Amino acid sequence: MEHHHHHDGDAGHVHAHPLQGDMADGPRRPSREELAHINGWGADLDRKNRPAILMERTPARFIHPHEGKLPQQPENVEILVSTERPGITPIFGTVQPPKGLSGMIRRLAFKWSENDMRRWLLLLAADRVNVVEGVGEDLVHGKVPNVLAEMGIKAEWEHNRAGLVKKAVLTGAVLGAAVYLMRRRPR
């Protein structure tokens, strides 16, 4: 198939568009070879004809997908449920049920809608409180936590040294200002 059009300085230039067919016969379907250069092409083809079939996982990830309604997981711990979605999902996590002060904060947060900023701020605060609770639990059980290692200081030093130095300087400045303000005597 060819078509003719005019280019400035190249009068009468003729070139073919390989994917453009004769519209009188209807659009021409491009061949597999013409489409093979498109990244990801053929991903939705029949499994037997997929170009990437050799890279697909064998056996398939979901060998026996569950049909119908999933059975409800037994609720053995407290599960916090969103106000937008009353009821509980068929499957849920049970590893860290809400407990202590962080659990109280989480219960309070779940009283607000998901689009309410208070909810997310309280959940962030609950996470921070939970970290402190975890350190306290470790100490109660005789385990001294390695806070610096858990903060990723070693990895930060290896991969983001400038950022770590910046954080250390900023933290030192804030702590220094706090100490200075606390020691300053009122006149």
Side-chain angles (χ1 to χ4, degrees):
M1 316 306 153
E2 296 179 332
H3 76 179
H4 300 267
H5 61 137
H6 178 73
H7 291 272
D8 288 335
D10 189 18
H13 171 78
V14 177
H15 63 105
H17 289 265
L19 301 182
Q20 186 176 13
D22 183 359
M23 297 307 283
D25 296 334
R28 184 179 70 83
R29 187 177 192 98
S31 69
R32 299 181 83 183
E33 291 76 25
E34 291 170 326
L35 298 172
H37 71 283
I38 300 171
N39 193 17
W41 177 84
D44 58 346
L45 289 176
D46 185 348
R47 184 174 170 80
K48 295 179 293 203
N49 299 326
R50 288 187 210 160
I53 193 72
L54 296 177
M55 294 188 291
E56 291 185 358
R57 182 184 171 117
T58 303
R61 194 173 302 254
F62 299 107
I63 300 169
H64 304 293
H66 194 278
E67 293 183 17
K69 187 177 178 183
L70 288 172
Q72 180 66 49
Q73 178 181 349
E75 192 176 343
N76 300 326
V77 296
E78 179 183 2
I79 303 296
L80 298 174
V81 179
S82 170
T83 57
E84 275 85 24
R85 290 181 284 276
I88 194 164
T89 57
I91 299 171
F92 48 84
T94 59
V95 177
Q96 295 189 344
K99 64 178 183 179
L101 179 60
S102 63
M104 292 170 59
I105 297 171
R106 286 194 172 93
R107 286 183 201 100
L108 179 63
F110 269 77
K111 290 181 179 178
W112 278 293
S113 166
E114 291 180 8
N115 64 355
D116 194 319
M117 183 67 75
R118 292 174 289 186
R119 173 192 173 103
W120 300 107
L121 291 175
L122 283 171
L123 288 174
L124 286 172
D127 286 346
R128 302 305 175 263
V129 169
N130 192 234
V131 169
V132 175
E133 289 174 337
V135 171
E137 285 179 15
D138 285 347
L139 291 173
V140 165
H141 291 102
K143 180 182 176 188
V144 178
N146 188 351
V147 176
L148 294 179
E150 292 174 8
M151 290 174 63
I153 299 294
K154 184 178 177 185
E156 185 96 8
W157 181 254
E158 287 179 17
H159 301 289
N160 186 18
R161 196 170 293 189
L164 179 62
V165 170
K166 187 176 170 183
K167 287 178 192 174
V169 169
L170 186 62
T171 302
V174 169
L175 289 176
V179 169
Y180 171 76
L181 292 173
M182 289 170 51
R183 288 190 171 184
R184 198 172 76 179
R185 295 184 181 190
R187 296 180 186 202

